[in-house]
Amino acid sequence: AQKITQTQPGMFVQEKEAVTLDCTYDTSDPSYGLFWYKQPSSGEMIFLIYQGSYDQQNATEGRYSLNFQKARKSANLVISASQLGDSAMYFCAMREDTNAGKSTFGDGTTLTVKP
Amino acid sequence: DTGVSQNPRHKITKRGQNVTFRCDPISEHNRLYWYRQTLGQGPEFLTYFQNEAQLEKSRLLSDRFSAERPKGSFSTLEIQRTEQGDSAMYLCASSHGHGGNEQFFGPGTRLTVL
């Protein structure tokens, strides 16, 4: 069964600094996708970045990058140059390609950016 | 606005009543998903559709829950005989298909069962 673990309930970062949000996953499927979403206090889930299990390079999207370590089954999100607007809940999610309809989410990490 | 929309945004009901939520996905998306999110937790998968076919249902979806997508466009989620434990945010998402295609989420419907 697929499982996502986010061990950091809350994180603080100083504005303009980088921060890493941890995510580990468990799956027996060789083909899967990993996603990160941001959920501000308004409640809407916003897609940030995607990493496929067969992708050779780590995914990057602007200030977001995904540190994918397949052997360790980790998919950490790195946010560079943090901004006050980055304060939100962040969710890691996985979808197995053999079970392509269902995404499993972690319990999230609350990030607070300090001015 | 071409995003995913959900109605109503908030619903307060008494225990035992039936409620129905609607989701309108992004028009060209053939997949539609329903999730439930409680406070402090990540979204939990409930069910998904490819076009009008309901391809998977979670064991979380008891027989009081039913979802439809009759014409492969909008979807409804009905909860019969609501219980206080049904209080949650119900999220709808849509995507082109599987694999790398991300799911786009709607704003959610917050249900409160008194």
Side-chain angles (χ1 to χ4, degrees):
Chain A
Q2 52 185 338
K3 182 178 171 62
I4 295 285
T5 302
Q6 294 181 254
T7 57
Q8 306 154 314
M11 288 284 286
F12 292 88
V13 65
Q14 206 67 36
E15 194 178 7
K16 299 180 185 178
E17 292 186 351
V19 63
T20 298
L21 306 183
D22 294 342
C23 172
T24 58
Y25 59 92
D26 190 23
T27 179
S28 55
D29 195 324
S31 182
Y32 50 88
L34 296 155
F35 303 78
W36 277 91
Y37 288 85
K38 173 184 178 181
Q39 189 174 42
S41 56
S42 59
E44 194 156 348
M45 297 282 283
I46 302 166
F47 166 77
L48 296 178
I49 196 166
Y50 162 80
Q51 179 84 43
S53 59
Y54 291 118
D55 292 345
Q56 295 297 312
Q57 292 188 324
N58 287 344
T60 60
E61 289 286 348
R63 294 186 300 111
Y64 304 108
S65 60
L66 200 152
N67 183 1
F68 180 47
Q69 297 188 43
K70 195 169 181 178
R72 294 185 177 185
K73 292 189 175 178
S74 75
N76 298 339
L77 177 71
V78 180
I79 305 174
S80 63
S82 296
Q83 302 172 356
L84 295 177
D86 293 335
S87 293
M89 190 80 150
Y90 288 81
F91 292 98
C92 179
M94 178 174 66
R95 187 164 65 231
E96 296 170 335
D97 286 348
T98 56
N99 188 11
K102 173 184 176 181
S103 287
T104 298
F105 286 76
D107 285 336
T109 295
T110 302
L111 177 66
T112 303
V113 181
K114 296 181 177 179
Chain B
D1 185 9
T2 57
V4 179
S5 62
Q6 292 186 246
N7 288 288
R9 295 291 305 278
H10 303 274
K11 179 71 177 177
I12 300 173
T13 191
K14 293 183 179 179
R15 190 176 51 185
Q17 298 293 306
N18 299 343
V19 294
T20 299
F21 310 140
R22 176 176 170 130
C23 171
D24 287 89
I26 294 171
S27 59
E28 63 267 27
H29 286 181
N30 63 345
R31 287 202 169 199
L32 185 148
Y33 312 80
W34 285 99
Y35 294 87
R36 180 173 67 189
Q37 186 178 24
T38 52
L39 201 61
Q41 305 288 319
E44 295 175 293
F45 170 81
L46 293 178
T47 189
Y48 90 97
F49 294 83
Q50 181 160 311
N51 301 312
E52 66 277 6
Q54 187 174 19
L55 296 186
E56 188 171 351
K57 288 175 59 173
S58 165
R59 282 172 287 183
L60 293 173
L61 219 63
S62 76
D63 55 6
R64 296 186 297 106
F65 288 70
S66 62
E68 294 183 341
R69 194 183 184 197
K71 296 182 180 179
S73 56
F74 73 91
S75 175
T76 57
L77 177 69
E78 181 183 15
I79 308 174
Q80 296 182 326
R81 305 181 304 280
T82 52
E83 302 172 355
Q84 287 184 324
D86 297 331
S87 295
M89 176 76 86
Y90 290 84
L91 295 168
C92 175
S94 69
S95 73
H96 280 292
H98 64 89
N101 297 106
E102 69 268 26
Q103 297 175 15
F104 292 84
F105 282 81
T109 295
R110 181 166 296 284
L111 172 66
T112 302
V113 182
L114 301 176

